[in-house]
Amino acid sequence: MQALYAQLLVGLINGSFYALLSLGLAVIFGMLNIINFAHGALYMMGAFTAYFLLHLTGIGYWWALLIAPIVVGIFGMILERTMLQWLAGLDHLYGLLLTFGIALIVQGVFQNYFGSSGLPYAIPDYPQIGDCSPNAPQDAFCRRGLQGGMNLGFMFLPVYRGWVVIFSLVVCIATWFLIEKTRLGAYLRAATENPTLVRAFGINVPRMITLTYGLGVGLAALAGVLSAPINQVRPLMGADLIIVVFAVVVIGGMGSIMGSIITGFALGVIEGLTKYFYPEASNTVVFVLMVLVLLVKPTGLTGRAA
Amino acid sequence: MSALTDDTIPVTPRAMRDEMIVFAAMAVLLGLVPMTGIYPFFVMQALCFALLACAFNLLIGYGGLLSFGHAMFLGTAGYCSAHALKVWGVSPELGILVGVAGAAALSVVTGFISIRRQGIYFSMITLALSQLLYFIYLQAPFTHGEDGIQGIPQGYLFGIFNLAKPTVLYYVVLAGFLGGFLLIYRTINSPFGEVLKAIRENEPRAISLGYKTDQYKLLAFILSGTIAGFAGSLKVFVAQNASLTDVHWTMSGEIVLMTLVGGLGTVFGPVVGAFVIIAMQQYLAGFGQWVTVIQGVIFVACVLTFRRGVIGEIAHYFRRSL
C-alpha cells in the first residue's frame, strides 16, 4: 500500500511538470501559432540557472524560483524578437523546425560544458522553524526548509515533493486566472482571434506576443527549478520529457488552458499507477493512451479542430 | 498561411527533361565512385540516408505532412532484417524483404493513427509513436537493448553477389537507391502525385472535388514508410548492425534536417542534403558534441534565411524544376 501511495505521489509530481510544460506550450501556441520544440531545452535552462545561482553567487532556491523564470523568460523574449517573429504568416511547421534547431543548439552547448551526467542540487534547508541548533534537545521540533518528511499516517510524505505538487497547482491556477479572468487575458484571447482588430484598438500586439512567449518560457523554466532537487540537473533533462509532453498535448488537445492543466496532472497520475501495477509499461503508457484517444476522439479530450 | 513549399515551378515537359538529365548525371557520377579514391562506406551510408530522406520528402514535399518520426521505419526495418539474417539465417534478399514488410506493416498502423490529425499535431503524433517504439525496442529481448544486433552476416545476394566485397555491396546499394528514387519520382509525377499536391495546397478544396483525401494521405504515408524501411534494410548490410540510435527521435530530426538543407519538395534536394549532413558528421566528428550545435545552427539558418534549401535555391535561380 505504501508503494502505491509513493507511486501516486511520483505520478502527481510528474503530472505537475507535464501540466506546467503543456500549459506553457498552450499559451505560446495560442498567440504565436508555434509548437515550441525548444520548451524542453528552456526547462533545462531553468534548472541550470538555479544551479548557477546557487554555485556561482550563493543565491538559493527561493530566489531562484523567482529569478530563473525571469532570466530564461528574457532569453525567450530575445529569441522571439530575433528569430521567431520572422516566421509569422508562414506555415507553422517552420516554427516547429526553427525551435527544434534552437533546442539542438542550447542542449549541445550545455552538453559540451557539462557532459551528460547529472549535477546535484540540494533541497533548500531554510527557513528553519523551531529549535534546530546543535545543542537542541532530542525531541525538540525542528524543520529545515523543505527537507525531511512528514508521517501522514497512511504514508511518509517527503516535504519537498508535497511542495512541488501544491506550488505548481497554484501556479497553474494563477495562469488560468490571468488568461481567462483578467482584462490582460481578454486582450490576449482577442489578439489570438483577430490581431488586426485588436491592434486597431491601440494595443501593441507584437509586444504582447513577445511577452506571451516570455510567459510560456518562464513557466517552463519554473518547472525546471522545481525539478532540480528531485531529478538531477542534466543537459538532456528536457529532451525526452518534451516528447511525453507532446503526447500529453495530443491527448488533451490545446483548446483550453484548463484542459492542459487537468490532462497534465491526470496523465502523470495514470503513469504513476502504471508504475505500480505494471512497471514494464510505465514508459509507454502515455503514448498508448495517446493512440487510444486518437482512435476514439481525434481532436483530443478538450481540443478544438486544428 | 503560405504553403510549405511555396513557388515550386510547375512540371512541364521541359522540367521532366531537365530532371531526367540530372538523374542520368547523378547515376553516372555515383556509378564511378568505386573507381575514385572516395571511401565507399561513406558513400553507401549517404546513399541509404539519401533514399530515406527522399521517402520522407515524398510526404512533406508533396503531401504537406511533416513526419517527425521517420526514424521508426529505418530502425524497424533494420531490426527485422538483422534478426532475420542473423537468427533465422535467411538469404540477403529475404532479409531485405522481411525488413521492408516490417516497415510496411508499421506504416499501415502508424499511418492510420497519425493522419487523423493535421499540421503540427501530425508531427507530434508521429514523434510520439516513434518514441513509443523506441521504448518497446529498448525492452524487447530480440533487439538486445543497448547493445543492438551486431555482426550481421552479409552473404550472397540471389546466391551470386558476394556482399562482403565492398565494390559489389556498393553497386547493390546504389541499385537499391536508384530503384527507390525512380519509384518516388514516378509516384510524384503520376495522377496520384498530382492529387497529393492538390491536398498539400488546399485540402478542403480537394475534399470538395470529391477526393477521399485521407485515403490518399494514408497511401502516401505507407509508400513513404515502406521505402524508408527499404533504406533501413540496405543500411544493415552497410553497417552490419542494427541499434537503438536508428530509432531514437534525434535520428528523425536528422532526416528532417537533410531534407530541409537540400530543399523541401524538390526532387534532388534530399539526396544533396543527405550527402552534406553525412559528410559533415564524418569530417566534423572530432568536434564531438559541437556537431549537434552546428546542426542546430544549420536548422535555424535554413528556416530563417534559405527555406528553399540548396537545390530549391538553384532551381529558383534558373527557374527550372529540379
Side-chain angles (χ1 to χ4, degrees), chain A residues 235-258:
Chain A
L236 292 180
M237 63 192 286
D240 289 326
L241 182 66
I242 189 72
I243 298 173
V244 182
V245 174
F246 279 177
V248 171
V249 163
V250 172
I251 294 170
M254 288 212 287
S256 77
I257 300 290
M258 201 43 116

Side-chain angles (χ1 to χ4, degrees), chain B residues 43-179:
Chain B
V43 186
M44 280 191 264
Q45 214 195 351
L47 283 175
C48 293
F49 279 103
L51 184 56
L52 181 62
C54 285
F56 165 80
N57 184 42
L58 173 66
L59 263 190
I60 178 144
Y62 300 93
L65 296 167
L66 172 63
S67 159
F68 228 111
H70 246 52
M72 63 181 159
F73 303 116
L74 176 80
T76 300
Y79 275 132
C80 289
S81 288
H83 188 74
L85 288 164
K86 192 174 179 188
V87 181
W88 300 341
V90 300
S91 56
E93 61 276 9
L94 268 180
I96 292 177
L97 204 64
V98 170
V100 172
L106 177 69
S107 61
V108 172
V109 178
T110 51
F112 179 71
I113 296 163
S114 51
I115 56 157
R116 290 169 162 255
R117 297 300 302 272
Q118 295 158 357
I120 40 180
Y121 282 98
F122 174 83
S123 308
M124 291 195 282
I125 291 163
T126 47
L127 182 59
L129 287 173
S130 82
Q131 189 69 357
L132 168 67
L133 223 60
Y134 173 84
F135 282 121
I136 291 175
Y137 287 145
L138 184 67
Q139 291 173 347
F142 87 98
T143 61
H144 301 289
E146 308 271 357
D147 299 334
I149 308 179
Q150 291 174 352
I152 293 152
Q154 288 168 310
Y156 285 81
L157 184 70
F158 303 118
I160 313 166
F161 302 111
N162 184 5
L163 297 182
K165 284 188 176 170
T167 317
V168 177
L169 181 62
Y170 178 80
Y171 281 111
V172 168
V173 171
L174 179 61
F177 163 74
L178 292 176

Side-chain angles (χ1 to χ4, degrees), chain A residues 29 94 112 243 280 294 298, chain B residues 4 116-117 120 139 249 290:
Chain A
F29 183 70
Y94 282 120
N112 270 306
I243 298 173
E280 290 84 358
L294 279 169
Chain B
L4 253 179
R116 290 169 162 255
R117 297 300 302 272
I120 40 180
Q139 291 173 347
W249 62 269
W290 286 113

Side-chain angles (χ1 to χ4, degrees), chain A residues 23 26 172-173 176-177 180 255-265 302:
Chain A
L23 176 62
C172 283
I173 290 171
W176 170 81
F177 186 83
E180 299 287 340
S256 77
I257 300 290
M258 201 43 116
S260 305
I261 301 171
I262 293 171
T263 321
F265 274 100
T302 60

Side-chain angles (χ1 to χ4, degrees), chain B residues 226-288:
Chain B
T226 309
I227 298 174
F230 180 50
S233 290
L234 286 180
K235 190 172 166 288
V236 166
F237 292 96
V238 179
Q240 282 185 275
N241 68 35
S243 67
L244 279 173
T245 15
D246 288 352
V247 211
H248 198 248
W249 62 269
T250 42
M251 181 61 85
S252 300
E254 277 177 27
I255 301 168
V256 180
L257 179 61
M258 288 172 191
T259 315
L260 191 66
V261 166
L264 290 175
T266 60
V267 180
F268 297 97
V271 182
V272 173
F275 271 84
V276 170
I277 300 298
I278 297 292
M280 226 182 67
Q281 287 173 348
Q282 181 93 8
Y283 295 110
L284 299 184
F287 288 95

Side-chain angles (χ1 to χ4, degrees), chain A:
Chain A
M1 228 37 206
Q2 281 278 347
L4 174 63
Y5 288 125
Q7 289 303 344
L8 259 178
L9 182 64
V10 170
L12 269 177
I13 289 170
N14 283 335
S16 317
F17 299 139
Y18 297 161
L20 281 173
L21 291 176
S22 66
L23 176 62
L25 279 178
V27 170
I28 291 171
F29 183 70
M31 274 305 274
L32 288 85
N33 245 320
I34 278 174
I35 283 288
N36 189 28
F37 215 123
H39 223 64
L42 295 159
Y43 160 83
M44 174 270 285
M45 280 181 78
F48 264 98
T49 309
Y51 179 82
F52 291 143
L53 283 173
L54 186 65
H55 291 269
L56 298 182
T57 62
I59 295 173
Y61 177 83
W62 298 104
W63 281 107
L65 269 185
L66 181 69
I67 297 172
I70 293 175
V71 170
V72 180
I74 289 172
F75 176 73
M77 286 193 265
I78 295 170
L79 285 183
E80 200 279 331
R81 279 279 109 163
T82 52
M83 300 185 197
L84 287 169
Q85 66 157 335
W86 304 109
L87 298 181
L90 285 176
D91 196 298
H92 38 232
L93 294 179
Y94 282 120
L96 183 85
L97 295 179
L98 180 72
T99 48
F100 178 70
I102 295 173
L104 284 185
I105 298 175
V106 172
Q107 278 162 4
V109 168
F110 276 84
Q111 254 184 307
N112 270 306
Y113 290 112
F114 301 97
S116 290
S117 52
L119 305 166
Y121 185 91
I123 295 172
D125 61 355
Y126 64 96
Q128 294 180 349
I129 302 163
D131 188 4
C132 291
S133 56
N135 50 5
Q138 277 276 303
D139 55 342
F141 176 81
C142 162
R143 173 149 313 293
R144 294 172 190 276
L146 298 173
Q147 289 180 338
M150 276 187 257
N151 196 347
L152 298 183
F154 56 93
M155 74 173 292
F156 181 79
L157 172 75
V159 175
Y160 185 77
R161 291 172 186 244
W163 154 257
V164 168
V165 174
I166 291 167
F167 181 69
S168 51
L169 203 58
V170 170
V171 172
C172 283
I173 290 171
T175 313
W176 170 81
F177 186 83
L178 174 76
I179 289 171
E180 299 287 340
K181 298 289 168 199
T182 63
R183 179 172 289 259
L184 181 71
Y187 289 150
L188 210 74
R189 280 175 291 131
T192 4
E193 293 292 323
N194 192 339
T196 331
L197 190 69
V198 174
R199 224 169 179 162
F201 282 109
I203 292 161
N204 189 341
V205 175
R207 183 186 297 162
M208 215 153 78
I209 291 178
T210 310
L211 287 174
T212 309
Y213 192 73
L215 172 70
V217 165
L219 284 171
L222 186 69
V225 182
L226 282 175
S227 95
I230 300 179
N231 312 305
Q232 292 196 317
V233 182
R234 290 178 301 122
L236 292 180
M237 63 192 286
D240 289 326
L241 182 66
I242 189 72
I243 298 173
V244 182
V245 174
F246 279 177
V248 171
V249 163
V250 172
I251 294 170
M254 288 212 287
S256 77
I257 300 290
M258 201 43 116
S260 305
I261 301 171
I262 293 171
T263 321
F265 274 100
L267 284 166
V269 170
I270 291 173
E271 204 182 42
L273 289 177
T274 315
K275 214 170 269 173
Y276 178 76
F277 288 108
Y278 189 60
E280 290 84 358
S282 59
N283 283 327
T284 50
V285 66
V286 174
F287 303 114
V288 173
L289 274 174
M290 181 194 80
V291 171
L292 292 178
V293 169
L294 279 169
L295 291 177
V296 179
K297 196 168 177 292
T299 48
L301 296 176
T302 60
R304 60 187 179 194

